[in-house]
Amino acid sequence: MLAATILLAASIISIVAFQRAGFGSVLGLLATGIVVGPSGLAITADVETFRSVTELGVVLLLFIIGLEMEPKRLWAMRRLVFGMGMAQVALTAGVLWLSAIAFGQDGRTAIVVSTGLALSSTAFVIQILDERGERASRHGEASFGILLFQDLMVVPLLMLVSLLGNAPSTGETSMSAHTLTALAMLAAVIVAGRFVMPAALAYVAHHRHSEAFTGLALLSVALAALLMDHAGLSMPLGAFLMGMLLSRSRFHHQLEADVAPFKGILLSLFFISVGMSVDLASLSDNLVAIALGVLTVITVKFACILAVARMFGFDRADSMRIAGLLPQGGEFGFVLFGAARAAGLLDSGGFVEVILVISTSMAMTPLITGLIDARLRRAGPTGPAIPDSLPRMDRHVILCGYGRAGRTVGAMLETAGHSFVAIDYDPLRVERGQASGAAVIYGNATDRKLLDMAGIGRAAAVVVTLDRPEAAGRVISAIRNFHPEVPLIARAPDLRTREAMLVAGVSHVVPEAVEMSLALGEATLRNIGIEDDRVGNIAGLLRADDYADLRHSEQRTS
C-alpha cells in the first residue's frame, strides 16, 4: 500500500505539473518512474516484471484503436502501412546498421540492434497524438500506418534473432510446424472476433448483465493476446485484430467505454515502468556511449523518416511532424533485445546500454515534438497553398475551424444563400473543403494576415467552431484585440467556459452540452405525449436570462 500510495501521488503531481508546463503527461509519467525506480525511492526492485504486467496497457490501447478502425479504413491505409511503413523500416535499419558497423559492432549484433532500433513506440506516439487531438490528422494517420507495419515486423525479427543466435538452427519441419501454429492461432482469433464474441456480447447485453459485458470485453482482449503469444506473434497486434473485427458489431462503442479506464491506468503505469528502466547509475557510468547512441538513433531516424515522408508526398510541415513523433526506440525493443541477450547476441553490458538508449529516446520525444511545433510556428503557415487572393466578399461569415461543427454551419449558410470563408490548420480538412468548392484557406486563425485575407473588416460575423477552449481562447483574443466591432460567435463545452468567453468579448456563446441536453429533453417530452407548445415553453424558460436557472443549479451542485 505504501508503494501504491507513493506511485499514485507522484504520478498525479508530475502529470499536473508537466501538463501545466506544456510538456504533456507522458514526460511527467517518465519522470515519476525515474523518481520511484531503482535510481530513486526504489519502491520495487523487479522492474522487468512490473513492465511486463503494465505492457497490457499497450495491448488494450491497440484493441481500442482496432475498435475505431473498420477493415475498409485499414484497406484505405494500405499505402501508408505497407508502402511508407516498409520504406521507413528498411531505410532506417540500413543506415543504423552502417552506423553500428562504423562503431565496431559485430555484424550479427549490428543487424539485430539496427532493426530493433528502427521500430518506434506505439504507446508513446498514440498518447501524444491523443493529447493533441491529432490522431485523425494527416500526419497522425501516417504515423499510425508506420507503427502498424512495425508491429507486423515482430515475428520476422524474433525469427531473425533465433537464426543469428547461438540457439540450435531451426529445421524445416519445426519451421513448418511454427507456421501452421501461427495460422491456426490467427484463424482462432478471427473466428472468435467474427462469430463467438459478438454472439456472447449480444446474449449478456440482452439479459442486461453489465458486469459480464465488461468481463467479456476484457476476455476478448486477453484471448486474442494469449493466442497470438502462443503462436509467437505480437500480443498488441492480436488485440488490434480483435478490436478491428469487433468494430463491425453494434457494441463497439460500449466496448471502448468499458475498456478505456483499464487502458488508461495500465498505460500510465507502462510509461512509469519505462522511467524505472532509466538506471541513473548505469547512465552516468556509460554516459558518453549512451549519449552518442541516443543522438545517433534520434538523428538517423528523424532524417530517414523525414526523407520517406517527403518521398510519399507529404509537405514539409507534416513530414517534420511525422519525423518528430517517431525518432524514439519502441517498447518491443525490451522484448527483442532480451531475446538477443538469451541467444548470445548481446552481453549484459550491451543489453543495459541499448535499453537505456530506448528509454532515454522515449523521454526525449515530447521535447522533440515541442521544438518542432515551435519551429513551425516561427516559420509561419505551411501546408496547402494559400491563394494569393479570394473573391471579394461583403457581409460574409468567417468560420474559424472547418471540422464537423464548421462544416455544419457552412452548409446552413450555403442553404441560406450566404457566403463564407473558413480557416483551418488541418491540411486534410482544407484539401477536402477546397475539393468540394468551399472557400477554405490553410493556417492559424490567430494570424492577422489570414484574417485580413478572409476579409474580416467586411465580415458580418466570425464563428469560432474550435472544440478546444484553449485554442478557441487564443483566436477570440486575436480577433477582439484588432477587430472589436465584428460580431463574434463561439461554441463552449459548458456554462463555465461560456461565462469566460462572454467576459472575453464574445457576442454569443452556444454551450453545446447544455443545448444538446435541452434538445434531448425536448425529444423526451414530446415522446411521452407533452404538447409541442408546452415543450417549447419549458425549453424557453430554461434558456431565459442566459440559462439563469441552469447556472444557479450548476453552482449549487458544484
Side-chain angles (χ1 to χ4, degrees):
M1 286 303 297
L2 177 61
T5 303
I6 293 172
L7 198 62
L8 286 171
S11 61
I12 292 168
I13 292 170
S14 60
I15 287 173
V16 173
F18 277 73
Q19 282 189 333
R20 287 181 66 87
F23 294 118
S25 64
V26 173
L27 197 56
L29 291 166
L30 286 171
T32 299
I34 294 173
V35 170
V36 303
S39 301
L41 300 175
I43 66 169
T44 178
D46 195 353
V47 176
E48 291 291 331
T49 301
F50 180 65
R51 187 175 59 236
S52 66
V53 172
T54 60
E55 282 175 358
L56 289 173
V58 183
V59 173
L60 292 174
L61 171 66
L62 266 295
F63 176 71
I64 289 178
I65 293 173
L67 287 173
E68 300 170 354
M69 181 76 64
E70 293 186 10
K72 61 182 180 181
R73 186 183 169 199
L74 182 63
W75 177 248
M77 292 178 61
R78 62 190 181 278
R79 182 172 179 269
L80 296 176
V81 177
F82 298 103
M84 199 170 174
M86 184 183 298
Q88 179 272 321
V89 171
L91 179 61
T92 306
V95 177
L96 286 174
W97 180 80
L98 291 174
S99 302
I101 293 296
F103 283 123
Q105 283 274 13
D106 173 71
R108 295 182 307 160
T109 302
I111 292 174
V112 175
V113 170
S114 61
T115 52
L117 290 176
L119 309 185
S120 304
S121 173
T122 301
F124 269 68
V125 175
I126 297 299
Q127 182 75 6
I128 292 171
L129 288 171
D130 283 345
E131 286 186 354
R132 294 162 166 254
E134 295 174 352
R135 177 120 57 99
S137 66
R138 195 159 183 251
H139 66 274
E141 285 199 341
S143 300
F144 175 69
I146 293 173
L147 291 167
L148 191 55
F149 180 81
Q150 291 177 358
D151 286 335
L152 293 171
M153 292 296 295
V154 170
V155 179
L157 290 182
L158 284 174
M159 292 176 64
L160 181 66
V161 169
S162 178
L163 290 172
L164 294 176
N166 295 329
S169 58
T170 304
E172 184 178 343
T173 304
S174 60
M175 285 290 290
S176 300
H178 180 80
T179 302
L180 289 175
T181 301
L183 291 174
M185 295 300 101
L186 191 62
V189 171
I190 293 173
V191 170
R194 187 71 180 88
F195 303 106
V196 179
M197 282 301 169
L201 290 167
Y203 177 83
V204 297
H206 177 72
H207 291 85
R208 292 182 171 84
H209 298 315
S210 57
E211 293 85 359
F213 190 96
T214 303
L216 274 174
L218 294 173
L219 176 62
S220 64
V221 182
L223 179 64
L226 180 64
L227 291 173
M228 290 295 100
D229 186 55
H230 182 66
L233 302 175
S234 165
M235 289 194 295
L237 191 62
F240 174 79
L241 177 60
M242 177 64 77
M244 193 172 65
L245 291 167
L246 292 175
S247 69
R248 303 176 65 179
S249 77
R250 67 181 188 272
F251 306 110
H252 70 278
H253 291 302
Q254 186 60 46
L255 286 168
E256 183 176 352
D258 284 353
V259 171
F262 299 98
K263 182 269 295 183
I265 293 170
L266 286 170
L267 200 58
S268 295
L269 292 175
F270 170 73
F271 294 138
I272 291 173
S273 73
V274 173
M276 288 180 173
S277 302
V278 180
D279 187 342
L280 296 182
S282 298
L283 187 61
S284 61
D285 292 341
N286 304 278
L287 185 60
V288 174
I290 293 169
L292 192 59
V294 171
L295 182 63
T296 301
V297 168
I298 289 177
T299 303
V300 167
K301 292 187 75 172
F302 186 93
C304 290
I305 296 168
L306 184 67
V308 168
R310 296 292 282 168
M311 183 173 64
F312 276 77
F314 287 84
D315 61 40
R316 184 180 66 86
D318 278 339
S319 298
M320 289 185 67
R321 291 189 181 100
I322 296 167
L325 284 166
L326 301 171
Q328 76 289 122
E331 54 271 358
F332 178 64
F334 297 120
V335 178
L336 179 68
F337 296 129
R341 180 175 60 174
L345 294 170
L346 277 175
D347 57 25
S348 297
F351 174 76
V352 170
E353 286 186 10
V354 77
I355 292 302
L356 284 171
V357 167
I358 293 174
S359 303
T360 307
S361 66
M362 285 179 172
M364 293 183 67
T365 304
L367 301 176
I368 294 170
T369 55
L371 288 172
I372 289 173
D373 285 344
R375 178 175 177 178
L376 291 176
R377 282 195 297 269
R378 288 196 302 269
T382 55
I386 299 174
D388 294 330
S389 62
L390 290 168
R392 180 179 173 85
M393 300 180 189
D394 291 295
R395 303 298 297 164
H396 60 293
V397 174
I398 297 176
L399 304 178
C400 299
Y402 202 58
R404 282 178 293 183
R407 290 195 302 272
T408 301
V409 176
M412 295 177 72
L413 289 167
E414 285 181 338
T415 304
H418 205 95
S419 57
F420 72 89
V421 176
I423 303 172
D424 200 286
Y425 201 64
D426 186 335
L428 191 58
R429 290 178 185 170
V430 175
E431 289 170 4
R432 288 173 177 170
Q434 291 175 348
S436 68
V440 187
I441 57 179
Y442 176 86
N444 194 324
T446 61
D447 189 331
R448 290 176 59 190
K449 293 180 180 178
L450 282 178
L451 291 172
D452 290 338
M453 181 186 295
I456 191 169
R458 305 183 304 274
V462 176
V463 183
V464 180
T465 69
L466 305 176
D467 59 353
R468 295 173 59 193
E470 312 86 36
R474 290 192 290 270
V475 174
I476 290 166
S477 176
I479 293 171
R480 273 293 165 256
N481 286 338
F482 299 100
H483 299 278
E485 75 287 350
V486 179
L488 186 56
I489 304 160
R491 64 189 281 199
D494 49 45
L495 288 172
R496 185 170 299 175
T497 307
R498 176 180 180 274
E499 293 295 322
M501 286 184 172
L502 290 172
V503 171
V506 180
S507 312
H508 184 81
V509 183
V510 178
E512 54 188 348
V514 175
E515 284 296 330
M516 182 192 70
S517 302
L518 288 173
L520 188 63
E522 289 177 302
T524 303
L525 293 176
R526 289 192 181 95
N527 275 275
I528 62 174
I530 307 299
E531 297 84 357
D532 283 349
D533 290 345
R534 191 177 174 200
V535 171
N537 289 335
I538 293 171
L541 287 172
L542 291 174
R543 290 188 176 97
D545 296 326
D546 287 337
Y547 309 94
D549 289 343
L550 292 175
R551 284 189 283 112
H552 294 328
S553 175
E554 188 176 274
Q555 289 169 359
R556 286 196 300 270
T557 55
S558 61

